[in-house]
């Protein structure tokens, strides 16, 4: 449509919500051009968190929702597994085949041989979590959700006891903002709008703790480029300085924390010199940061998810969360620390997830270990049957899960039946037996909470889906009918589920939420700042966590904050530490299909320190090979001095086929569970690095 045609069409401005897996959950204003097309998308000015700001990739969403490659009809595999050869079939045939196979598998192997698998491709509560209703009613194997938040949550709960914190909008009232192990310029851009206000209005300082000079670090007043997985050492040294130099708030600690004297004694040896040797930061850098942090009352630590994606990540995140407990910063407006607001919504998800049918004795398996599960690892299967059938919604595990060579091997099993419900022909869909076409968020109704702020919102259906696309809820209804799965949730429309869930959770109904656009669920100042107590039974922040209560892998975790050397440390054979964080223009693998995102990200790239490059004969733009015991990946090099020598950064979860050998970055990452409760360790990988003779044609190797 040309610009003038667009102006002439009746453009309606409608409210929506970004459904993607991003803590910002932006309130959107969408130009709806007619019943089937959208125009520009903007952030809602009236929402005090979104404040008119959204990321570029969602602003140009028309490119994704009207993409010519969208899946439009159900498909049945005709060629060998993974060949990508399919033929169209009807919805009835597709759902009949899936149901027949699930019934046959359950009959032969038991219901636990079916493993519904999902993640957060949409964050809408109905379309994301409804798959659990089918799971629980049918007694299919359960899923331990570890791919993203398990490590962060373990670390946060260890100290604070519940996932809330000072209102993220208070960042604008801070005098110091520390962005610790996150890269919001890429991953949740709204944070930067609130940071900018603090800098403009209060001359606030911004510190970034990150192994490489990210877009966020670039605009900071101070960037601490530590070695990956050493954050607890830095945090301990800062607390050491607080005690040493009289910055520790002993009155606050006596009232609100569990064991300040033990902590002080323990930290006596955790000096800046000690931390310097572990983190690779200079003593002067550590001292300067410690002084700045300790002398600022209104200091707001915004934790990212990233720094917890290492084996010791929960311990590291907990150590950082101890800082405002020592200085007493929790008490002040603009002070404290924040990871996620997920505890503030008090949802009753019985209807959505079929929680009344859940049986905790049914087998549960770690989603990040999908490769091990599908290749029959007994540590994962337990005494139960092999996984013989899967329904996959909202995720692309063939690319995003760690140890991806093993994941692929699992999906290629001839005796495994896989149905993938998707918007595009992803790598996972290509490995399926049946592919079903899915709606996008503006084509169905859903209910959203925000991790990075405090709003409850409804994103209503705004346009008709293309082709024969159906929503996740509709697919689950269709399967439930065929499988004989009975639950009131299957009899309701998505909007009825939204309305009933809101009311059951103590919020106003759907009509009210739609009319007022959102509910601000931020608790009171006192509650948000834990002035009425932290989330443990004694109301105290725990410097000494009960790791055993949090997860099974607690052995070896320290009593008090400390550096734990359980990581994939570099060795002479694998001398580099690889960090694999998000790309700005993609969202996990979403948007790897849109031309402008692809163009801006260009190609898979390894950021390598010039000293390392020179030593190994690596040139700017040359091909390099990264490898370890799990696999090898080839990609192009970029020389970059914003990290320590010995560290390599590869941004983005590019599709496998964008790499010269068709093998993507997660071939290198490990599916070892993070401690103590599992969690994928995407930034904790030792690798070797070699230069490739770029002139050699690939076929000659
Ligand atoms: N554009 C874009 N936005 C996204 C995503 C995306 O892929 N692209 N993904 C979305 C999802 S699912 C999530 S969970 C969030 C995640 O967003 P973030 O919270 O930003 O977490 P990560 O992106 O995993 O990592 C952020 C940073 O952590 C750093 N890091 C890695 N290891 C360490 C360490 O040991 N110590 C420290 N201090 N830092 C470390 C990385 O270098 C990286 O810069 O973003 C969401 N938003
Ligand atoms: N190397 C490396 N790997 C990582 C990470 C990293 O930092 N580095 N980050 C990890 C993290 S934090 C996460 S959360 C995971 C995320 O991994 P995924 O959850 O797999 O995220 P996406 O790759 O965005 O895939 C989501 C898929 O859901 C589909 N989808 C979206 N909406 C709907 C819908 O309504 N219905 C259906 N049926 N499908 C839908 C999209 O088309 C997309 O293909 O990746 C992890 N993998
Ligand atoms: S910043 Fe995050 S929530 Fe906001 S529009 Fe972009 S992806 Fe969506
Ligand atoms: Mo995530």
């Amino acid at each position: 449509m040309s610009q003038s045609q667009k102006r002439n069409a009746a453009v309606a401005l409608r409210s929506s919500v970004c459904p993607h897996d991003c803590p910002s959950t932006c309130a959107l204003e969408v130009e709806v051009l007619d019943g089937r097309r959208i125009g520009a998308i903007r952030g809602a000015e009236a929402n005090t968190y979104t404040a008119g700001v959204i990321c570029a990739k969602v602003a140009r969403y028309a490119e994704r929702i009207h993409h010519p490659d969208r899946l439009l009809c159900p498909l049945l595999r005709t060629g060998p597994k993974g060949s990508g050869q399919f033929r169209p079939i009807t919805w009835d045939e597709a759902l009949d085949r899936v149901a027949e196979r699930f019934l046959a598998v359950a009959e032969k192997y038991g219901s636990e041989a079916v493993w519904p698998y999902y993640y957060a491709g949409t964050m809408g509560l109905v379309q994301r979590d409804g798959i659990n209703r089918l799971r629980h009613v049918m007694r299919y194997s359960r899923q331990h959700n570890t791919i993203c938040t398990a490590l962060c949550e373990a670390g946060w709960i260890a100290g604070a006891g519940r996932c809330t914190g000072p209102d993220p909008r208070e960042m604008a009232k801070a005098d110091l903002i520390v962005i610790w192990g996150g890269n919001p310029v890429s991953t949740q851009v709204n944070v930067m709008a609130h940071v900018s206000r603090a800098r403009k209005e209060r001359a606030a300082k911004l510190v970034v703790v990150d192994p490489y000079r990210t877009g966020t670090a670039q605009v900071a007043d101070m960037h601490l480029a530590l070695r990956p997985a050493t954050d607890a050492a830095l945090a301990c040294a800062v607390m050491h300085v607080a005690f040493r130099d009289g910055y520790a708030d002993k009155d606050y600690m006596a009232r609100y924390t569990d064991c300040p004297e033990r902590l002080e004694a323990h930290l006596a040896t955790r000096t800046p010199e000690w931390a310097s040797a572990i983190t690779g930061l200079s003593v002067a850098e550590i001292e300067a940061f410690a002084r700045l942090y300790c002398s600022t009352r209104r200091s707001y630590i915004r934790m990212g998810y990233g720094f917890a994606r290492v084996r010791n990540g929960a311990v590291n995140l907990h150590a950082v969360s101890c800082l405002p407990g020592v200085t007493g910063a929790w008490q002040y407006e603009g002070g404290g620390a924040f990871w996620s607001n997920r505890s503030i919504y008090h949802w009753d998800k019985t209807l959505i997830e079929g929680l009344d049918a859940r049986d905790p004795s049914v087998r549960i398996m770690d989603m990040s270990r999908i490769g091990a599960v599908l290749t029959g690892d007994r540590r994962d299967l337990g005494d139960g049957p092999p996984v013989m059938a899967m329904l996959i919604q909202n995720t692309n595990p063939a690319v995003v899960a760690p140890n991806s060579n093993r994941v692929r091997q699992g999906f290629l099993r001839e005796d495994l039946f896989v149905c993938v419900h998707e918007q595009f022909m992803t790598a996972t869909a290509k490995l399926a037996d049946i592919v079903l076409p899915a709606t996008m968020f503006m084509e169905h109704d859903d209910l959203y909470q925000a991790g990075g702020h405090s709003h409850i919102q409804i994103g209503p259906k705004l346009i008709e889906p293309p082709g024969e696309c159906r929503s996740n809820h509709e697919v689950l209804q269709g399967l439930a009918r065929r499988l004989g799965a009975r639950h009131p949730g299957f009899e309701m429309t998505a909007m009825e589920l939204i309305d009933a869930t809101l009311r059951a959770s103590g919020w106003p109904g759907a009509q009210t939420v739609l009319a007022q656009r959102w509910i601000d669920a931020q608790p009171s100042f006192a509650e948000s700042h834990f002035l009425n107590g932290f989330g443990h039974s004694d109301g105290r922040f725990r410097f000494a966590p009960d790791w055993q209560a949090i997860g099974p892998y607690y052995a070896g975790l320290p009593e008090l904050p400390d550096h734990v050397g359980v990581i994939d440390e570099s060795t002479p054979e694998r001398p580099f530490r690889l960090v694999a964080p998000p790309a700005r223009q993609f969202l996990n693998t979403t948007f790897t299909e849109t031309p402008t995102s692809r163009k801006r990200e260009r190609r898979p790239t390894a950021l390598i320190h010039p000293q390392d490059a020179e030593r190994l004969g690596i040139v700017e733009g040359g091909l390099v090979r990264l490898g370890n015991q799990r696999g090898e990946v080839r990609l192009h090099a970029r020389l970059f001095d914003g990290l320590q020598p010995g560290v390599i950064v590869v941004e983005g979860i590019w599709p496998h086929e964008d790499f010269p050998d068709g093998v993507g970055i997660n071939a290198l990452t490990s599916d070892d569970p993070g401690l103590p409760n599992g969690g994928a360790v995407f930034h904790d990988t030792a690798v070797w690095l070699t230069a490739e003779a770029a002139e050699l044609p690939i076929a000659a190797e």
Side-chain angles (χ1 to χ4, degrees):
M1 194 182 274
S2 76
Q3 280 306 312
S4 60
Q5 280 172 316
K6 201 164 125 185
R7 269 195 299 277
N8 292 337
V11 178
L13 211 56
R14 301 286 306 275
S15 297
S16 185
V17 189
C18 179
H20 287 291
D21 191 356
C22 169
S24 281
T25 319
C26 291
L28 305 180
E29 278 159 14
V30 182
E31 286 180 12
V32 177
L33 304 183
D34 54 46
R36 287 195 167 268
R37 294 191 76 81
I38 65 151
I41 299 190
R42 279 178 285 272
E45 293 279 355
N47 184 287
T48 49
Y49 187 78
T50 304
V53 176
I54 58 168
C55 64
K57 59 194 181 299
V58 169
R60 44 174 201 261
Y61 211 80
E63 201 185 345
R64 182 162 196 272
I65 199 167
H66 304 310
H67 197 295
D69 295 344
R70 273 195 67 177
L71 294 171
L72 298 175
C73 65
L75 299 169
L76 174 70
R77 176 167 70 85
T78 53
K81 285 236 177 199
S83 63
Q85 292 163 24
F86 294 93
R87 72 171 166 83
I89 52 174
T90 65
W91 268 104
D92 274 335
E93 181 182 350
L95 294 174
D96 286 347
R97 280 177 180 267
V98 177
E100 275 161 26
R101 195 62 179 251
F102 280 18
L103 288 169
V105 161
E107 169 81 26
K108 183 160 174 202
Y109 298 92
S111 61
E112 287 179 342
V114 183
W115 198 27
Y117 191 94
Y118 75 112
Y119 205 60
T122 173
M123 293 280 274
L125 304 187
V126 172
Q127 310 290 353
R128 182 187 67 191
D129 301 330
I131 192 170
N132 288 328
R133 187 183 332 116
L134 188 72
R135 178 197 316 278
H136 296 319
V137 171
M138 297 303 293
R139 304 178 61 81
Y140 293 152
S141 276
R142 293 183 299 141
Q143 170 177 313
H144 182 28
N145 286 343
T146 56
I147 198 118
C148 180
T149 62
L151 277 154
C152 304
E153 183 157 8
W156 182 269
I157 291 290
R162 66 169 187 268
C163 295
T164 63
D167 189 328
R169 289 164 292 197
E170 277 183 40
M171 275 186 292
K173 299 182 180 150
D175 294 320
L176 168 64
I177 296 148
V178 183
I179 293 182
W180 201 309
N183 180 15
V185 161
S186 290
T187 60
Q188 43 171 327
V189 64
N190 310 72
V191 166
M192 299 312 288
H194 298 279
V195 170
S196 295
R197 269 189 62 197
R199 297 177 98 177
K200 217 176 290 158
E201 292 170 15
R202 317 176 54 88
K205 293 269 182 295
L206 172 65
V207 175
V208 170
V209 184
D210 198 298
Y212 79 110
R213 196 169 59 235
T214 60
T216 312
Q218 227 159 34
V219 301
D221 298 289
M222 187 187 285
H223 171 210
L224 298 167
L226 77 187
R227 281 176 69 74
T230 63
D231 299 83
L234 176 60
C236 285
V238 174
M239 291 188 279
H240 169 95
V241 171
F243 283 109
R244 184 193 71 192
D245 295 354
Y247 291 114
D249 185 338
K250 298 206 166 165
D251 292 339
Y252 178 84
M253 283 191 285
R255 264 186 84 187
Y256 286 105
T257 68
D258 60 345
C259 57
E261 290 82 14
R262 262 170 68 207
L263 180 68
E264 182 173 3
H266 161 76
L267 291 172
T269 53
R270 272 58 178 181
T271 60
E273 290 74 17
W274 167 83
S276 169
I278 296 169
T279 59
L281 299 170
S282 71
V283 172
E285 282 176 293
I286 297 172
E287 290 278 359
F289 171 55
R291 249 191 330 276
L292 177 62
Y293 181 77
C294 293
S295 62
T296 310
R297 285 184 155 193
R298 292 174 171 238
S299 57
Y300 195 107
I301 300 178
R302 180 70 177 226
M303 312 247 189
Y305 294 67
F307 80 111
R309 304 196 199 290
V310 290
R311 287 168 180 75
N312 58 2
V315 173
N316 297 349
L317 192 143
H318 168 257
V320 175
S321 76
C322 292
L323 264 56
V326 171
T327 65
W330 288 115
Q331 303 159 85
Y332 308 112
E333 189 177 32
F338 180 85
W339 169 57
S340 166
N341 252 341
R342 53 166 56 182
S343 297
I344 70 175
Y345 301 100
H346 46 79
W347 295 117
D348 179 340
K349 289 167 81 183
T350 307
L351 272 172
I352 291 179
E353 297 200 51
L355 297 179
D356 43 356
R358 179 175 59 178
D359 177 351
S361 74
V362 172
R363 172 174 69 181
I364 184 161
M365 292 179 296
D366 181 342
M367 68 179 301
S368 300
R369 293 190 41 83
I370 180 172
V373 167
L374 294 184
T375 52
D377 195 323
R378 272 289 149 207
R379 283 174 298 181
D380 298 279
L381 299 178
D383 303 330
V387 169
M388 302 301 294
M390 297 182 81
L391 166 66
I392 299 178
Q393 289 183 319
N394 312 326
T395 182
N396 184 12
V399 185
V400 305
N403 203 355
S404 56
N405 286 339
R406 195 163 180 200
V407 176
R408 181 176 167 80
Q409 195 190 328
F411 273 120
L412 284 173
R413 259 175 50 203
E414 279 303 330
D415 59 349
L416 173 70
F417 174 82
V418 177
C419 170
V420 173
H421 186 199
E422 248 302 343
Q423 297 164 341
F424 289 97
M425 186 56 81
T426 59
T428 310
K430 240 180 240 165
L431 287 160
D433 299 284
I434 293 210
V435 178
L436 304 174
T439 46
M440 287 190 188
F441 71 106
M442 287 175 271
E443 299 158 358
H444 59 234
D445 296 322
D446 216 334
L447 171 65
Y448 302 87
Q449 70 175 54
H453 56 98
S454 52
H455 293 93
I456 294 170
Q457 304 174 71
I458 294 175
K461 176 174 170 176
L462 301 181
I463 57 172
E464 288 303 319
E468 300 171 31
C469 294
R470 289 190 188 172
S471 72
N472 293 1
H473 180 57
E474 290 167 315
V475 166
L476 295 166
Q477 286 178 311
L479 286 176
R481 218 173 302 124
R482 289 167 173 82
L483 292 164
R486 266 192 270 289
H487 192 276
F490 293 121
E491 310 302 322
M492 301 165 78
T493 64
M495 197 53 96
E496 286 166 351
L497 279 169
I498 292 169
D499 186 58
T501 299
L502 280 164
R503 291 172 194 278
S505 310
W507 302 111
Q511 281 316 314
T512 309
V513 176
L514 279 167
Q516 62 188 52
R517 295 181 70 184
W518 44 72
I519 298 171
D520 188 347
Q522 184 68 44
S524 68
F525 181 91
E527 213 182 321
S528 304
H529 285 256
F530 301 105
L531 300 181
N532 307 330
F534 288 86
H536 299 293
S537 51
D538 60 1
R540 287 172 183 270
F541 183 91
R542 290 195 176 159
F543 292 132
D546 182 2
W547 292 118
Q548 185 166 358
I550 295 175
Y553 317 113
Y554 57 86
L557 293 190
E559 221 180 293
L560 289 158
D562 212 345
H563 175 67
V564 199
V566 293
I567 57 176
D568 193 11
E569 197 46 271
S570 49
T571 63
E573 298 75 48
R574 292 177 284 130
F576 290 90
R577 293 270 302 158
L578 170 69
V579 173
R584 184 168 185 178
Q585 305 296 339
F586 300 152
L587 204 148
N588 304 318
T589 62
T590 305
F591 299 95
T592 58
E593 67 285 326
T594 53
T596 47
S597 285
R598 294 181 60 82
K599 192 162 151 223
R600 288 179 197 196
E601 292 296 338
R602 194 156 172 237
R603 64 186 181 192
T605 301
L607 306 182
I608 296 169
H609 195 280
Q611 281 173 22
D612 292 328
E614 192 180 354
R615 200 163 40 81
L616 296 169
I618 292 166
V619 295
E620 177 70 29
L623 262 185
V624 296
R625 188 185 292 265
L626 300 177
N628 60 19
Q629 66 276 38
R630 285 173 291 275
E632 294 185 8
V633 172
R634 290 200 309 159
L635 71 178
H636 291 88
R638 211 181 103 208
L639 307 196
F640 179 72
D641 65 3
L643 38 66
Q644 293 190 25
V647 177
I648 298 173
V649 171
V650 178
E651 288 185 346
I653 327 176
W654 286 87
H656 295 307
E657 61 263 26
D658 286 306
F659 290 79
D661 301 322
V663 177
I665 196 65
N666 279 324
L668 302 175
T669 57
S670 165
D671 55 5
D672 286 357
L675 313 180
N677 193 31
V681 294
F682 293 111
H683 307 324
D684 187 4
T685 312
V687 294
W688 44 258
L689 162 69
T690 55
E692 292 280 289
E695 300 76 23
L696 279 184
I698 291 167
E701 291 188 356

